[in-house]
Amino acid sequence: MKKTLLLISLFTIALVMSGCHKSSKIQDTALMHHRFILISANGQHIPLDDQAELIFGEKMTITGKMCNQFSGQVILDKNNIKGIGVVMTKMVCNDDQLNQLDYIIDQLITNGAEINLSNNQLTLKNHENELIYQLKDLM
């Protein structure tokens, strides 16, 4: 009898935990109408005065800037994000770090990236790069 109760308890715990895991999927409504400021790129702190940002609008439109400005539409599929028709200005910047960040954000959005949102921090990453943004709405 004790073994049966133990097995039922373990099964229930496993079922509850798997249910919690599925609920961590990011919904587009958690991103829309929010502005995020870049705070870290590949483990390196980014000064807030650079104001590198992402803004999610209606129907998952995305606008933002590093050195250059970009915009387009993204698709959120489970915990992955990928851009469609993303366009970016192509100016050369005086800041080498921002030039590199332009390339990184273009690759993450165009080729797709894993996305995570927790504690007001948005993380975009692939096998090579990781960008961490902090929620910083204008209002």
Side-chain angles (χ1 to χ4, degrees):
M1 181 72 175
K2 288 183 180 180
K3 279 187 175 181
T4 304
L5 287 174
L6 179 63
L7 287 174
I8 290 172
S9 297
L10 290 174
F11 178 74
T12 303
I13 290 170
L15 187 60
V16 168
M17 289 179 70
S18 68
C20 291
H21 178 69
K22 289 182 182 179
S23 67
S24 67
K25 176 184 168 199
I26 297 175
Q27 301 293 322
D28 56 357
T29 54
L31 298 173
M32 284 192 302
H33 308 293
H34 290 293
R35 175 180 179 244
F36 297 89
I37 301 296
L38 184 67
I39 59 171
S40 175
N42 296 325
Q44 185 177 11
H45 174 74
I46 304 294
L48 289 178
D49 58 331
D50 285 337
Q51 293 295 304
E53 67 182 4
L54 285 178
I55 301 171
F56 292 90
E58 285 290 320
K59 300 180 183 176
M60 292 303 290
T61 57
I62 187 172
T63 58
K65 67 178 179 176
M66 292 295 189
C67 171
N68 286 284
Q69 296 182 0
F70 56 91
S71 65
Q73 187 169 11
V74 291
I75 296 173
L76 187 60
D77 182 26
K78 297 181 184 167
N79 287 345
N80 292 296
I81 192 167
K82 187 171 184 176
I84 323 169
V86 176
V87 294
M88 180 180 281
T89 57
K90 299 290 182 182
M91 298 182 299
V92 177
C93 303
N94 294 334
D95 186 330
D96 289 336
Q97 182 183 31
L98 286 177
N99 274 330
Q100 183 63 28
L101 289 172
D102 271 344
Y103 174 77
I104 291 171
I105 193 66
D106 185 42
Q107 293 300 308
L108 287 171
I109 293 174
T110 303
N111 297 334
E114 182 181 328
I115 186 169
N116 184 28
L117 179 62
S118 63
N119 299 324
N120 291 327
Q121 286 193 341
L122 176 74
T123 303
L124 299 176
K125 69 178 181 177
N126 63 13
H127 59 282
E128 297 172 351
N129 295 295
E130 178 181 65
L131 300 180
I132 300 175
Y133 291 83
Q134 181 70 41
L135 179 65
K136 185 132 179 141
D137 288 330
L138 294 173
M139 291 190 216

